[in-house]
Amino acid sequence: EELDGVVKYNSFHKEQSKAWKNDPSRVENWHYDADKDTWTCMNQRKLTFQRQTRGKTGSGYQTQLRTYRSENCEGCLLRERCTKSSGNREIRVSLEYLRYKQQAAERLRSPEGKELAIRRMTEVESVFGQIKNNRGFRRFLLRSLPKVTVEVGWISLAHNLLKKAAVDEMRQKVG
């Protein structure tokens, strides 16, 4: 249906901080040259392509990780902050993941994305907060999708009934 998601990824807020933007160990702060297939770190050292491997996440998603290695990190002033390795810096990146992440960040920073994120916080997030913090629901007691679906239904029903009871009580006090 050609829909674009506007969901914050796990490091979105951290990436806005000054500390993140100045961190030399973060690949997101480096420059990628697609024509030469090289990365350039914050100290202008080149990392060249070494190999490509396939991976699989716990959910079964297939990834392609590309490995890049610096030719020489000796004498680099940023080395202590960039890597704990005794050898040259090596990174493994999924170019597809970085591309998706960049697209999501652009959408989230757009005026429309900011508006949708604010709307999501007011519409949906408060319900999860109520259920988790005020109702004390932190874990599912049952296992398997059909049972969890029923459990979510009961929790939602309880939440909605308590909400309706609060509204009815307010109306009685006012009316």
Side-chain angles (χ1 to χ4, degrees), residues 9 21 28 32 34 56 97 130 134 138 173:
Y9 50 92
K21 291 177 183 177
E28 292 88 349
Y32 178 67
K56 197 175 191 180
Y97 171 73
Q130 287 282 331
N134 299 348
R138 296 277 179 174
K173 287 181 181 177

Side-chain angles (χ1 to χ4, degrees), residues 42-160:
M42 290 177 84
N43 201 28
Q44 304 307 311
R45 308 278 172 117
K46 298 269 188 231
L47 286 87
T48 56
F49 175 73
Q50 300 295 310
R51 66 187 168 280
Q52 182 168 308
T53 56
R54 291 183 185 267
K56 197 175 191 180
T57 64
S59 63
Y61 183 74
Q62 298 276 339
T63 60
Q64 288 187 358
L65 295 174
R66 297 178 63 82
T67 303
Y68 297 83
R69 186 176 298 137
S70 174
E71 294 170 1
N72 188 4
C73 287
E74 288 183 31
C76 179
L77 300 173
L78 299 175
R79 184 182 182 125
E80 291 293 317
R81 292 176 45 213
C82 181
T83 184
K84 296 176 185 173
S85 165
S86 58
N88 292 328
R89 178 71 195 264
E90 187 173 289
I91 59 171
R92 283 181 202 85
V93 295
S94 167
L95 296 177
E96 183 180 33
Y97 171 73
L98 291 176
R99 185 172 44 82
Y100 284 141
K101 196 169 150 181
Q102 183 179 12
Q103 288 173 353
E106 287 171 6
R107 268 189 241 121
L108 288 164
R109 288 190 203 111
S110 72
E112 180 190 15
K114 288 178 183 177
E115 183 182 319
L116 286 171
I118 290 168
R119 198 171 87 202
R120 180 174 182 244
M121 283 187 280
T122 58
E123 290 177 357
V124 179
E125 299 296 333
S126 62
V127 173
F128 290 131
Q130 287 282 331
I131 290 172
K132 286 173 74 173
N133 293 326
N134 299 348
R135 311 272 182 257
F137 182 79
R138 296 277 179 174
R139 301 185 76 155
F140 288 102
L141 300 173
L142 305 172
R143 298 291 175 251
S144 83
L145 188 58
K147 291 177 184 176
V148 168
T149 303
V150 169
E151 195 171 357
V152 167
W154 283 112
I155 293 161
S156 300
L157 180 65
H159 174 77
N160 289 333

Side-chain angles (χ1 to χ4, degrees), residues 1-7 103 107 112 116:
E1 295 180 21
E2 297 182 28
L3 297 174
D4 290 329
V6 186
V7 178
Q103 288 173 353
R107 268 189 241 121
E112 180 190 15
L116 286 171

